Amino acid sequence: MSPSTFPDDSLIGVVKSARSYLGGPLEALAFWSAVFLPFCLLGLFASGFDGPTDYFVFTALVVANVAAVVIGHDYRQ
């Protein structure tokens, strides 16, 4: 590929700037979410699964927990 087919350098600069500005708080939020989301899962297990909505909530919480672990794994290292 030629360099002219890459996205605009200003867009790349904006993305890098946003990541450097939001990276720390986002990692912190993800880390602490990864710590507390399993307690929500325990509460869901304790109350039982009554219908399809509970299974959807369970799946959403597991996906959110995995995403939080991936995003927040470098927090304070």
Side-chain angles (χ1 to χ4, degrees):
M1 292 185 127
S2 66
S4 62
T5 60
F6 290 121
D8 187 35
D9 288 337
S10 63
L11 177 63
I12 293 171
V14 168
V15 170
K16 286 182 180 179
S17 175
R19 182 165 185 207
S20 67
Y21 180 71
L22 295 175
L26 182 64
E27 281 184 358
L29 178 66
F31 174 82
W32 288 109
S33 295
V35 170
F36 290 114
L37 279 174
F39 293 107
C40 296
L41 289 169
L42 287 175
L44 186 61
F45 279 128
S47 67
F49 291 91
D50 293 332
T53 304
D54 290 337
Y55 291 109
F56 175 76
V57 170
F58 173 76
T59 304
L61 285 172
V62 169
V63 169
N65 197 15
V66 169
V69 167
V70 169
I71 294 169
H73 77 280
D74 281 339
Y75 178 63
R76 297 274 176 142
Q77 284 190 357

Short mmCIF file of all heavy atoms in Angstrom, two decimals:
data_model
loop_
_atom_site.label_atom_id
_atom_site.label_comp_id
_atom_site.label_asym_id
_atom_site.label_seq_id
_atom_site.Cartn_x
_atom_site.Cartn_y
_atom_site.Cartn_z
N MET A 1 0.84 -1.18 0.00
CA MET A 1 0.00 0.00 0.00
C MET A 1 0.89 1.24 0.00
O MET A 1 1.90 1.28 0.68
CB MET A 1 -0.88 0.05 1.23
CG MET A 1 -1.95 -0.99 1.32
SD MET A 1 -2.96 -0.68 2.75
CE MET A 1 -4.53 -0.68 1.96
N SER A 2 0.43 2.21 -0.69
CA SER A 2 1.17 3.46 -0.69
C SER A 2 0.75 4.30 0.51
O SER A 2 -0.35 4.15 1.03
CB SER A 2 0.91 4.22 -1.99
OG SER A 2 -0.43 4.63 -2.04
N PRO A 3 1.62 5.19 0.95
CA PRO A 3 1.29 6.01 2.12
C PRO A 3 0.04 6.85 1.93
O PRO A 3 -0.59 7.26 2.88
CB PRO A 3 2.52 6.88 2.31
CG PRO A 3 3.62 6.16 1.63
CD PRO A 3 2.99 5.39 0.52
N SER A 4 -0.34 7.13 0.69
CA SER A 4 -1.51 7.97 0.46
C SER A 4 -2.82 7.25 0.79
O SER A 4 -3.86 7.88 0.89
CB SER A 4 -1.54 8.45 -0.99
OG SER A 4 -1.66 7.33 -1.85
N THR A 5 -2.79 5.92 0.96
CA THR A 5 -4.02 5.20 1.27
C THR A 5 -4.29 5.11 2.77
O THR A 5 -5.33 4.62 3.18
CB THR A 5 -3.97 3.77 0.69
OG1 THR A 5 -2.88 3.09 1.26
CG2 THR A 5 -3.86 3.81 -0.82
N PHE A 6 -3.36 5.54 3.60
CA PHE A 6 -3.56 5.51 5.05
C PHE A 6 -4.47 6.66 5.46
O PHE A 6 -4.59 7.66 4.78
CB PHE A 6 -2.22 5.60 5.79
CG PHE A 6 -1.39 4.37 5.64
CD1 PHE A 6 -0.13 4.43 5.08
CD2 PHE A 6 -1.87 3.14 6.05
CE1 PHE A 6 0.64 3.30 4.93
CE2 PHE A 6 -1.11 1.99 5.91
CZ PHE A 6 0.15 2.08 5.35
N PRO A 7 -5.12 6.52 6.63
CA PRO A 7 -5.98 7.61 7.11
C PRO A 7 -5.19 8.90 7.31
O PRO A 7 -3.97 8.89 7.43
CB PRO A 7 -6.52 7.10 8.45
CG PRO A 7 -6.30 5.65 8.43
CD PRO A 7 -5.14 5.39 7.52
N ASP A 8 -5.91 9.96 7.37
CA ASP A 8 -5.31 11.28 7.54
C ASP A 8 -4.49 11.33 8.82
O ASP A 8 -4.90 10.82 9.85
CB ASP A 8 -6.42 12.32 7.58
CG ASP A 8 -5.89 13.73 7.58
OD1 ASP A 8 -4.86 13.99 6.93
OD2 ASP A 8 -6.53 14.57 8.22
N ASP A 9 -3.30 11.92 8.76
CA ASP A 9 -2.43 12.00 9.93
C ASP A 9 -3.07 12.79 11.07
O ASP A 9 -2.81 12.51 12.24
CB ASP A 9 -1.09 12.63 9.56
CG ASP A 9 -0.22 11.70 8.73
OD1 ASP A 9 -0.43 10.47 8.83
OD2 ASP A 9 0.67 12.19 8.01
N SER A 10 -3.91 13.76 10.74
CA SER A 10 -4.55 14.53 11.82
C SER A 10 -5.53 13.65 12.61
O SER A 10 -5.65 13.80 13.82
CB SER A 10 -5.27 15.75 11.25
OG SER A 10 -6.31 15.35 10.37
N LEU A 11 -6.20 12.74 11.92
CA LEU A 11 -7.11 11.82 12.61
C LEU A 11 -6.33 10.90 13.55
O LEU A 11 -6.74 10.67 14.68
CB LEU A 11 -7.91 11.00 11.60
CG LEU A 11 -8.85 9.95 12.18
CD1 LEU A 11 -9.93 10.63 13.02
CD2 LEU A 11 -9.48 9.14 11.07
N ILE A 12 -5.21 10.40 13.09
CA ILE A 12 -4.36 9.56 13.93
C ILE A 12 -3.88 10.35 15.14
O ILE A 12 -3.85 9.84 16.26
CB ILE A 12 -3.18 9.00 13.12
CG1 ILE A 12 -3.71 8.02 12.06
CG2 ILE A 12 -2.18 8.30 14.03
CD1 ILE A 12 -2.67 7.57 11.07
N GLY A 13 -3.52 11.60 14.94
CA GLY A 13 -3.09 12.45 16.04
C GLY A 13 -4.19 12.67 17.07
O GLY A 13 -3.94 12.65 18.27
N VAL A 14 -5.41 12.85 16.59
CA VAL A 14 -6.55 13.05 17.49
C VAL A 14 -6.79 11.78 18.31
O VAL A 14 -7.03 11.85 19.52
CB VAL A 14 -7.81 13.45 16.70
CG1 VAL A 14 -9.06 13.37 17.56
CG2 VAL A 14 -7.65 14.83 16.12
N VAL A 15 -6.73 10.62 17.67
CA VAL A 15 -6.94 9.36 18.37
C VAL A 15 -5.85 9.15 19.42
O VAL A 15 -6.14 8.76 20.55
CB VAL A 15 -7.01 8.19 17.38
CG1 VAL A 15 -6.99 6.86 18.10
CG2 VAL A 15 -8.25 8.31 16.50
N LYS A 16 -4.61 9.40 19.06
CA LYS A 16 -3.50 9.24 20.03
C LYS A 16 -3.64 10.22 21.18
O LYS A 16 -3.38 9.88 22.33
CB LYS A 16 -2.16 9.41 19.33
CG LYS A 16 -1.77 8.24 18.47
CD LYS A 16 -0.41 8.44 17.85
CE LYS A 16 -0.03 7.26 16.97
NZ LYS A 16 1.28 7.45 16.34
N SER A 17 -4.06 11.43 20.88
CA SER A 17 -4.24 12.43 21.93
C SER A 17 -5.37 12.04 22.87
O SER A 17 -5.24 12.16 24.09
CB SER A 17 -4.54 13.79 21.30
OG SER A 17 -4.84 14.74 22.28
N ALA A 18 -6.48 11.55 22.31
CA ALA A 18 -7.60 11.12 23.15
C ALA A 18 -7.21 9.93 24.00
O ALA A 18 -7.59 9.85 25.18
CB ALA A 18 -8.81 10.77 22.27
N ARG A 19 -6.44 9.01 23.44
CA ARG A 19 -6.02 7.84 24.22
C ARG A 19 -5.09 8.25 25.36
O ARG A 19 -5.19 7.73 26.47
CB ARG A 19 -5.35 6.83 23.32
CG ARG A 19 -4.96 5.61 24.11
CD ARG A 19 -4.63 4.45 23.27
NE ARG A 19 -4.39 3.33 24.16
CZ ARG A 19 -3.63 2.31 23.88
NH1 ARG A 19 -3.06 2.24 22.72
NH2 ARG A 19 -3.45 1.36 24.76
N SER A 20 -4.17 9.18 25.09
CA SER A 20 -3.27 9.60 26.16
C SER A 20 -4.02 10.39 27.23
O SER A 20 -3.69 10.32 28.41
CB SER A 20 -2.13 10.43 25.59
OG SER A 20 -2.60 11.67 25.09
N TYR A 21 -5.06 11.11 26.84
CA TYR A 21 -5.83 11.90 27.80
C TYR A 21 -6.79 11.02 28.60
O TYR A 21 -6.94 11.18 29.81
CB TYR A 21 -6.62 12.98 27.06
CG TYR A 21 -7.45 13.86 27.95
CD1 TYR A 21 -6.86 14.78 28.80
CD2 TYR A 21 -8.83 13.75 27.95
CE1 TYR A 21 -7.62 15.58 29.63
CE2 TYR A 21 -9.61 14.54 28.77
CZ TYR A 21 -9.00 15.45 29.61
OH TYR A 21 -9.76 16.23 30.42
N LEU A 22 -7.43 10.06 27.94
CA LEU A 22 -8.44 9.23 28.60
C LEU A 22 -7.91 7.87 29.05
O LEU A 22 -8.61 7.14 29.74
CB LEU A 22 -9.62 9.00 27.66
CG LEU A 22 -10.42 10.22 27.28
CD1 LEU A 22 -11.47 9.86 26.24
CD2 LEU A 22 -11.07 10.83 28.49
N GLY A 23 -6.70 7.53 28.66
CA GLY A 23 -6.16 6.21 28.95
C GLY A 23 -6.10 5.89 30.43
O GLY A 23 -6.53 4.82 30.86
N GLY A 24 -5.58 6.79 31.24
CA GLY A 24 -5.47 6.55 32.68
C GLY A 24 -6.82 6.36 33.36
O GLY A 24 -7.04 5.34 34.04
N PRO A 25 -7.74 7.31 33.20
CA PRO A 25 -9.06 7.14 33.83
C PRO A 25 -9.83 5.93 33.30
O PRO A 25 -10.52 5.26 34.06
CB PRO A 25 -9.79 8.44 33.49
CG PRO A 25 -8.72 9.43 33.24
CD PRO A 25 -7.58 8.65 32.65
N LEU A 26 -9.68 5.64 32.02
CA LEU A 26 -10.38 4.48 31.45
C LEU A 26 -9.82 3.18 32.02
O LEU A 26 -10.58 2.28 32.35
CB LEU A 26 -10.27 4.49 29.93
CG LEU A 26 -10.99 3.36 29.20
CD1 LEU A 26 -12.49 3.48 29.43
CD2 LEU A 26 -10.67 3.40 27.73
N GLU A 27 -8.49 3.10 32.15
CA GLU A 27 -7.89 1.91 32.75
C GLU A 27 -8.30 1.75 34.20
O GLU A 27 -8.56 0.64 34.66
CB GLU A 27 -6.37 1.95 32.64
CG GLU A 27 -5.84 1.58 31.29
CD GLU A 27 -4.32 1.55 31.25
OE1 GLU A 27 -3.68 1.87 32.27
OE2 GLU A 27 -3.79 1.21 30.19
N ALA A 28 -8.36 2.85 34.93
CA ALA A 28 -8.77 2.79 36.33
C ALA A 28 -10.21 2.32 36.45
O ALA A 28 -10.53 1.45 37.28
CB ALA A 28 -8.61 4.16 36.99
N LEU A 29 -11.09 2.87 35.63
CA LEU A 29 -12.50 2.46 35.66
C LEU A 29 -12.63 0.99 35.28
O LEU A 29 -13.38 0.25 35.93
CB LEU A 29 -13.32 3.33 34.70
CG LEU A 29 -14.79 2.98 34.58
CD1 LEU A 29 -15.51 3.25 35.89
CD2 LEU A 29 -15.42 3.76 33.44
N ALA A 30 -11.89 0.56 34.27
CA ALA A 30 -11.97 -0.83 33.85
C ALA A 30 -11.43 -1.76 34.94
O ALA A 30 -12.00 -2.83 35.20
CB ALA A 30 -11.19 -1.03 32.55
N PHE A 31 -10.33 -1.37 35.58
CA PHE A 31 -9.76 -2.20 36.63
C PHE A 31 -10.75 -2.39 37.77
O PHE A 31 -11.00 -3.52 38.22
CB PHE A 31 -8.47 -1.56 37.15
CG PHE A 31 -7.89 -2.26 38.34
CD1 PHE A 31 -7.11 -3.39 38.17
CD2 PHE A 31 -8.11 -1.81 39.63
CE1 PHE A 31 -6.58 -4.06 39.25
CE2 PHE A 31 -7.58 -2.46 40.72
CZ PHE A 31 -6.80 -3.59 40.53
N TRP A 32 -11.32 -1.31 38.26
CA TRP A 32 -12.23 -1.41 39.39
C TRP A 32 -13.54 -2.07 38.99
O TRP A 32 -14.19 -2.73 39.81
CB TRP A 32 -12.44 -0.06 40.05
CG TRP A 32 -11.20 0.35 40.78
CD1 TRP A 32 -10.32 1.33 40.44
CD2 TRP A 32 -10.67 -0.29 41.95
NE1 TRP A 32 -9.29 1.35 41.33
CE2 TRP A 32 -9.46 0.39 42.27
CE3 TRP A 32 -11.08 -1.33 42.76
CZ2 TRP A 32 -8.68 0.03 43.37
CZ3 TRP A 32 -10.30 -1.69 43.85
CH2 TRP A 32 -9.12 -1.01 44.14
N SER A 33 -13.94 -1.93 37.74
CA SER A 33 -15.11 -2.67 37.26
C SER A 33 -14.83 -4.16 37.26
O SER A 33 -15.70 -4.96 37.62
CB SER A 33 -15.48 -2.22 35.85
OG SER A 33 -15.89 -0.88 35.84
N ALA A 34 -13.62 -4.54 36.86
CA ALA A 34 -13.25 -5.95 36.86
C ALA A 34 -13.22 -6.51 38.28
O ALA A 34 -13.45 -7.70 38.48
CB ALA A 34 -11.89 -6.14 36.19
N VAL A 35 -12.97 -5.66 39.24
CA VAL A 35 -12.96 -6.10 40.63
C VAL A 35 -14.39 -6.30 41.15
O VAL A 35 -14.69 -7.29 41.82
CB VAL A 35 -12.21 -5.08 41.53
CG1 VAL A 35 -12.40 -5.39 43.00
CG2 VAL A 35 -10.72 -5.06 41.17
N PHE A 36 -15.31 -5.39 40.82
CA PHE A 36 -16.64 -5.41 41.42
C PHE A 36 -17.70 -6.17 40.61
O PHE A 36 -18.70 -6.59 41.19
CB PHE A 36 -17.12 -3.98 41.69
CG PHE A 36 -16.36 -3.33 42.80
CD1 PHE A 36 -15.55 -2.23 42.56
CD2 PHE A 36 -16.44 -3.82 44.08
CE1 PHE A 36 -14.84 -1.64 43.59
CE2 PHE A 36 -15.73 -3.23 45.12
CZ PHE A 36 -14.92 -2.14 44.87
N LEU A 37 -17.52 -6.35 39.32
CA LEU A 37 -18.53 -7.05 38.52
C LEU A 37 -18.77 -8.50 38.97
O LEU A 37 -19.91 -8.96 38.91
CB LEU A 37 -18.18 -6.99 37.04
CG LEU A 37 -18.56 -5.70 36.33
CD1 LEU A 37 -18.02 -5.70 34.90
CD2 LEU A 37 -20.05 -5.49 36.34
N PRO A 38 -17.75 -9.22 39.41
CA PRO A 38 -18.05 -10.58 39.89
C PRO A 38 -19.03 -10.62 41.06
O PRO A 38 -19.78 -11.58 41.20
CB PRO A 38 -16.68 -11.12 40.29
CG PRO A 38 -15.73 -10.39 39.41
CD PRO A 38 -16.31 -9.01 39.30
N PHE A 39 -19.07 -9.58 41.88
CA PHE A 39 -20.04 -9.54 42.97
C PHE A 39 -21.46 -9.42 42.43
O PHE A 39 -22.40 -9.97 43.01
CB PHE A 39 -19.72 -8.40 43.94
CG PHE A 39 -18.45 -8.62 44.69
CD1 PHE A 39 -17.31 -7.88 44.39
CD2 PHE A 39 -18.36 -9.59 45.68
CE1 PHE A 39 -16.13 -8.09 45.07
CE2 PHE A 39 -17.18 -9.81 46.37
CZ PHE A 39 -16.06 -9.06 46.07
N CYS A 40 -21.61 -8.71 41.31
CA CYS A 40 -22.93 -8.65 40.67
C CYS A 40 -23.32 -10.02 40.14
O CYS A 40 -24.49 -10.41 40.22
CB CYS A 40 -22.90 -7.65 39.52
SG CYS A 40 -22.61 -5.95 40.02
N LEU A 41 -22.35 -10.74 39.61
CA LEU A 41 -22.62 -12.10 39.14
C LEU A 41 -23.03 -13.01 40.29
O LEU A 41 -23.95 -13.83 40.15
CB LEU A 41 -21.40 -12.68 38.43
CG LEU A 41 -21.08 -12.07 37.06
CD1 LEU A 41 -19.72 -12.52 36.59
CD2 LEU A 41 -22.14 -12.45 36.06
N LEU A 42 -22.37 -12.87 41.43
CA LEU A 42 -22.76 -13.66 42.61
C LEU A 42 -24.19 -13.35 43.04
O LEU A 42 -24.94 -14.24 43.42
CB LEU A 42 -21.79 -13.42 43.75
CG LEU A 42 -20.40 -14.03 43.61
CD1 LEU A 42 -19.52 -13.61 44.78
CD2 LEU A 42 -20.49 -15.54 43.52
N GLY A 43 -24.55 -12.07 43.00
CA GLY A 43 -25.92 -11.68 43.34
C GLY A 43 -26.93 -12.28 42.38
O GLY A 43 -28.01 -12.70 42.78
N LEU A 44 -26.56 -12.34 41.11
CA LEU A 44 -27.46 -12.93 40.13
C LEU A 44 -27.60 -14.43 40.36
O LEU A 44 -28.69 -14.99 40.26
CB LEU A 44 -26.93 -12.66 38.72
CG LEU A 44 -27.80 -13.09 37.55
CD1 LEU A 44 -29.15 -12.38 37.60
CD2 LEU A 44 -27.11 -12.79 36.24
N PHE A 45 -26.49 -15.10 40.69
CA PHE A 45 -26.56 -16.52 41.01
C PHE A 45 -27.42 -16.77 42.26
O PHE A 45 -28.19 -17.73 42.31
CB PHE A 45 -25.17 -17.11 41.25
CG PHE A 45 -24.44 -17.45 39.98
CD1 PHE A 45 -23.16 -16.98 39.77
CD2 PHE A 45 -25.01 -18.26 39.02
CE1 PHE A 45 -22.47 -17.29 38.62
CE2 PHE A 45 -24.33 -18.58 37.86
CZ PHE A 45 -23.06 -18.10 37.65
N ALA A 46 -27.29 -15.91 43.25
CA ALA A 46 -28.04 -16.09 44.49
C ALA A 46 -29.55 -15.92 44.27
O ALA A 46 -30.35 -16.61 44.89
CB ALA A 46 -27.55 -15.12 45.55
N SER A 47 -29.91 -15.00 43.39
CA SER A 47 -31.34 -14.78 43.14
C SER A 47 -31.94 -15.80 42.19
O SER A 47 -33.15 -15.97 42.14
CB SER A 47 -31.57 -13.36 42.60
OG SER A 47 -31.01 -13.24 41.31
N GLY A 48 -31.09 -16.46 41.43
CA GLY A 48 -31.57 -17.49 40.50
C GLY A 48 -31.89 -16.91 39.13
O GLY A 48 -32.08 -15.71 38.97
N PHE A 49 -31.98 -17.80 38.17
CA PHE A 49 -32.31 -17.43 36.80
C PHE A 49 -33.77 -17.75 36.55
O PHE A 49 -34.17 -18.92 36.53
CB PHE A 49 -31.42 -18.21 35.82
CG PHE A 49 -29.97 -17.81 35.87
CD1 PHE A 49 -29.08 -18.45 36.70
CD2 PHE A 49 -29.51 -16.76 35.08
CE1 PHE A 49 -27.75 -18.09 36.75
CE2 PHE A 49 -28.18 -16.39 35.11
CZ PHE A 49 -27.30 -17.05 35.95
N ASP A 50 -34.59 -16.72 36.39
CA ASP A 50 -36.03 -16.92 36.22
C ASP A 50 -36.47 -16.94 34.77
O ASP A 50 -37.53 -17.47 34.46
CB ASP A 50 -36.80 -15.83 36.96
CG ASP A 50 -36.63 -15.94 38.46
OD1 ASP A 50 -36.39 -17.06 38.94
OD2 ASP A 50 -36.73 -14.91 39.13
N GLY A 51 -35.72 -16.34 33.89
CA GLY A 51 -36.16 -16.28 32.50
C GLY A 51 -35.06 -15.85 31.58
O GLY A 51 -33.89 -15.70 31.98
N PRO A 52 -35.40 -15.59 30.34
CA PRO A 52 -34.38 -15.22 29.34
C PRO A 52 -33.70 -13.90 29.66
O PRO A 52 -32.55 -13.70 29.29
CB PRO A 52 -35.15 -15.15 28.03
CG PRO A 52 -36.58 -15.25 28.35
CD PRO A 52 -36.72 -15.74 29.75
N THR A 53 -34.39 -13.01 30.35
CA THR A 53 -33.77 -11.74 30.69
C THR A 53 -32.59 -11.95 31.64
O THR A 53 -31.55 -11.30 31.49
CB THR A 53 -34.81 -10.81 31.35
OG1 THR A 53 -35.90 -10.65 30.47
CG2 THR A 53 -34.20 -9.45 31.66
N ASP A 54 -32.72 -12.86 32.57
CA ASP A 54 -31.63 -13.14 33.50
C ASP A 54 -30.42 -13.74 32.78
O ASP A 54 -29.28 -13.43 33.11
CB ASP A 54 -32.08 -14.08 34.61
CG ASP A 54 -33.05 -13.41 35.57
OD1 ASP A 54 -33.04 -12.17 35.64
OD2 ASP A 54 -33.80 -14.13 36.24
N TYR A 55 -30.68 -14.57 31.79
CA TYR A 55 -29.57 -15.13 31.01
C TYR A 55 -28.87 -14.05 30.18
O TYR A 55 -27.65 -14.06 30.03
CB TYR A 55 -30.05 -16.26 30.11
CG TYR A 55 -30.47 -17.48 30.88
CD1 TYR A 55 -31.80 -17.85 30.99
CD2 TYR A 55 -29.52 -18.27 31.53
CE1 TYR A 55 -32.18 -18.95 31.71
CE2 TYR A 55 -29.89 -19.38 32.26
CZ TYR A 55 -31.22 -19.72 32.35
OH TYR A 55 -31.59 -20.82 33.07
N PHE A 56 -29.67 -13.11 29.66
CA PHE A 56 -29.08 -11.99 28.92
C PHE A 56 -28.23 -11.12 29.84
O PHE A 56 -27.13 -10.72 29.48
CB PHE A 56 -30.18 -11.16 28.26
CG PHE A 56 -29.64 -9.93 27.58
CD1 PHE A 56 -28.99 -10.03 26.37
CD2 PHE A 56 -29.78 -8.69 28.17
CE1 PHE A 56 -28.48 -8.90 25.75
CE2 PHE A 56 -29.28 -7.56 27.56
CZ PHE A 56 -28.62 -7.66 26.35
N VAL A 57 -28.74 -10.83 31.02
CA VAL A 57 -27.99 -10.02 32.00
C VAL A 57 -26.71 -10.74 32.40
O VAL A 57 -25.64 -10.12 32.49
CB VAL A 57 -28.86 -9.69 33.23
CG1 VAL A 57 -28.04 -9.07 34.33
CG2 VAL A 57 -30.01 -8.77 32.83
N PHE A 58 -26.78 -12.03 32.62
CA PHE A 58 -25.60 -12.82 32.97
C PHE A 58 -24.56 -12.74 31.86
O PHE A 58 -23.37 -12.48 32.12
CB PHE A 58 -25.99 -14.27 33.23
CG PHE A 58 -24.81 -15.18 33.43
CD1 PHE A 58 -24.11 -15.17 34.62
CD2 PHE A 58 -24.39 -16.02 32.41
CE1 PHE A 58 -23.00 -15.99 34.80
CE2 PHE A 58 -23.30 -16.84 32.58
CZ PHE A 58 -22.60 -16.83 33.78
N THR A 59 -24.99 -12.93 30.62
CA THR A 59 -24.06 -12.87 29.49
C THR A 59 -23.45 -11.48 29.36
O THR A 59 -22.25 -11.33 29.12
CB THR A 59 -24.79 -13.26 28.19
OG1 THR A 59 -25.36 -14.56 28.35
CG2 THR A 59 -23.85 -13.26 27.01
N ALA A 60 -24.26 -10.45 29.52
CA ALA A 60 -23.76 -9.08 29.43
C ALA A 60 -22.75 -8.78 30.53
O ALA A 60 -21.72 -8.13 30.29
CB ALA A 60 -24.93 -8.09 29.50
N LEU A 61 -23.00 -9.26 31.74
CA LEU A 61 -22.06 -9.05 32.83
C LEU A 61 -20.74 -9.79 32.61
O LEU A 61 -19.66 -9.25 32.90
CB LEU A 61 -22.68 -9.48 34.16
CG LEU A 61 -23.72 -8.55 34.76
CD1 LEU A 61 -24.38 -9.20 35.97
CD2 LEU A 61 -23.10 -7.22 35.13
N VAL A 62 -20.81 -10.99 32.07
CA VAL A 62 -19.58 -11.74 31.78
C VAL A 62 -18.78 -11.04 30.70
O VAL A 62 -17.55 -10.88 30.81
CB VAL A 62 -19.90 -13.20 31.39
CG1 VAL A 62 -18.68 -13.91 30.84
CG2 VAL A 62 -20.43 -13.96 32.60
N VAL A 63 -19.44 -10.60 29.64
CA VAL A 63 -18.75 -9.88 28.56
C VAL A 63 -18.15 -8.58 29.09
O VAL A 63 -17.00 -8.24 28.77
CB VAL A 63 -19.71 -9.63 27.38
CG1 VAL A 63 -19.12 -8.66 26.38
CG2 VAL A 63 -20.08 -10.94 26.71
N ALA A 64 -18.90 -7.84 29.90
CA ALA A 64 -18.38 -6.60 30.48
C ALA A 64 -17.19 -6.88 31.39
O ALA A 64 -16.21 -6.11 31.39
CB ALA A 64 -19.48 -5.88 31.25
N ASN A 65 -17.23 -7.97 32.14
CA ASN A 65 -16.13 -8.30 33.03
C ASN A 65 -14.88 -8.66 32.24
O ASN A 65 -13.77 -8.23 32.59
CB ASN A 65 -16.53 -9.44 33.96
CG ASN A 65 -15.62 -9.56 35.15
OD1 ASN A 65 -14.87 -8.65 35.46
ND2 ASN A 65 -15.69 -10.68 35.83
N VAL A 66 -15.04 -9.44 31.19
CA VAL A 66 -13.89 -9.80 30.35
C VAL A 66 -13.30 -8.54 29.70
O VAL A 66 -12.07 -8.36 29.69
CB VAL A 66 -14.29 -10.85 29.29
CG1 VAL A 66 -13.20 -11.03 28.25
CG2 VAL A 66 -14.62 -12.17 29.96
N ALA A 67 -14.14 -7.67 29.20
CA ALA A 67 -13.65 -6.42 28.60
C ALA A 67 -12.94 -5.57 29.64
O ALA A 67 -11.88 -4.98 29.36
CB ALA A 67 -14.81 -5.65 27.98
N ALA A 68 -13.47 -5.50 30.84
CA ALA A 68 -12.84 -4.72 31.90
C ALA A 68 -11.48 -5.29 32.28
O ALA A 68 -10.53 -4.55 32.52
CB ALA A 68 -13.75 -4.65 33.12
N VAL A 69 -11.37 -6.60 32.32
CA VAL A 69 -10.08 -7.23 32.64
C VAL A 69 -9.06 -6.92 31.54
O VAL A 69 -7.90 -6.57 31.83
CB VAL A 69 -10.25 -8.76 32.81
CG1 VAL A 69 -8.90 -9.46 32.83
CG2 VAL A 69 -11.01 -9.06 34.09
N VAL A 70 -9.47 -7.01 30.30
CA VAL A 70 -8.55 -6.75 29.18
C VAL A 70 -8.11 -5.29 29.18
O VAL A 70 -6.92 -4.99 29.02
CB VAL A 70 -9.21 -7.14 27.85
CG1 VAL A 70 -8.40 -6.64 26.66
CG2 VAL A 70 -9.40 -8.64 27.77
N ILE A 71 -9.03 -4.38 29.36
CA ILE A 71 -8.70 -2.94 29.31
C ILE A 71 -7.93 -2.50 30.54
O ILE A 71 -6.99 -1.71 30.45
CB ILE A 71 -9.98 -2.10 29.13
CG1 ILE A 71 -10.59 -2.39 27.76
CG2 ILE A 71 -9.67 -0.62 29.27
CD1 ILE A 71 -11.98 -1.82 27.59
N GLY A 72 -8.28 -3.02 31.71
CA GLY A 72 -7.69 -2.53 32.94
C GLY A 72 -6.51 -3.31 33.47
O GLY A 72 -6.03 -3.05 34.57
N HIS A 73 -5.98 -4.26 32.70
CA HIS A 73 -4.93 -5.12 33.23
C HIS A 73 -3.60 -4.39 33.46
O HIS A 73 -2.79 -4.87 34.24
CB HIS A 73 -4.72 -6.35 32.34
CG HIS A 73 -3.94 -6.08 31.10
ND1 HIS A 73 -4.52 -5.53 29.97
CD2 HIS A 73 -2.65 -6.29 30.80
CE1 HIS A 73 -3.61 -5.40 29.05
NE2 HIS A 73 -2.47 -5.85 29.51
N ASP A 74 -3.37 -3.26 32.83
CA ASP A 74 -2.12 -2.53 33.03
C ASP A 74 -2.25 -1.38 34.02
O ASP A 74 -1.32 -0.59 34.18
CB ASP A 74 -1.64 -1.95 31.69
CG ASP A 74 -0.96 -2.99 30.83
OD1 ASP A 74 -0.50 -4.01 31.38
OD2 ASP A 74 -0.90 -2.78 29.61
N TYR A 75 -3.36 -1.28 34.71
CA TYR A 75 -3.58 -0.17 35.63
C TYR A 75 -2.56 -0.21 36.77
O TYR A 75 -2.35 -1.24 37.41
CB TYR A 75 -5.00 -0.25 36.21
CG TYR A 75 -5.31 0.83 37.21
CD1 TYR A 75 -5.30 2.16 36.83
CD2 TYR A 75 -5.62 0.52 38.52
CE1 TYR A 75 -5.60 3.15 37.74
CE2 TYR A 75 -5.92 1.51 39.44
CZ TYR A 75 -5.91 2.82 39.04
OH TYR A 75 -6.18 3.80 39.94
N ARG A 76 -1.86 0.89 36.97
CA ARG A 76 -0.85 1.09 38.03
C ARG A 76 0.33 0.15 37.93
O ARG A 76 0.84 -0.32 38.94
CB ARG A 76 -1.49 0.99 39.41
CG ARG A 76 -2.51 2.02 39.70
CD ARG A 76 -1.87 3.25 40.23
NE ARG A 76 -2.86 4.28 40.43
CZ ARG A 76 -2.86 5.11 41.44
NH1 ARG A 76 -1.93 5.04 42.34
NH2 ARG A 76 -3.78 6.03 41.52
N GLN A 77 0.74 -0.19 36.75
CA GLN A 77 1.94 -1.04 36.61
C GLN A 77 3.07 -0.22 36.07
O GLN A 77 2.99 0.65 35.35
CB GLN A 77 1.67 -2.21 35.67
CG GLN A 77 0.87 -3.25 36.33
CD GLN A 77 0.80 -4.53 35.49
OE1 GLN A 77 1.32 -4.59 34.39
NE2 GLN A 77 0.16 -5.52 36.02
#
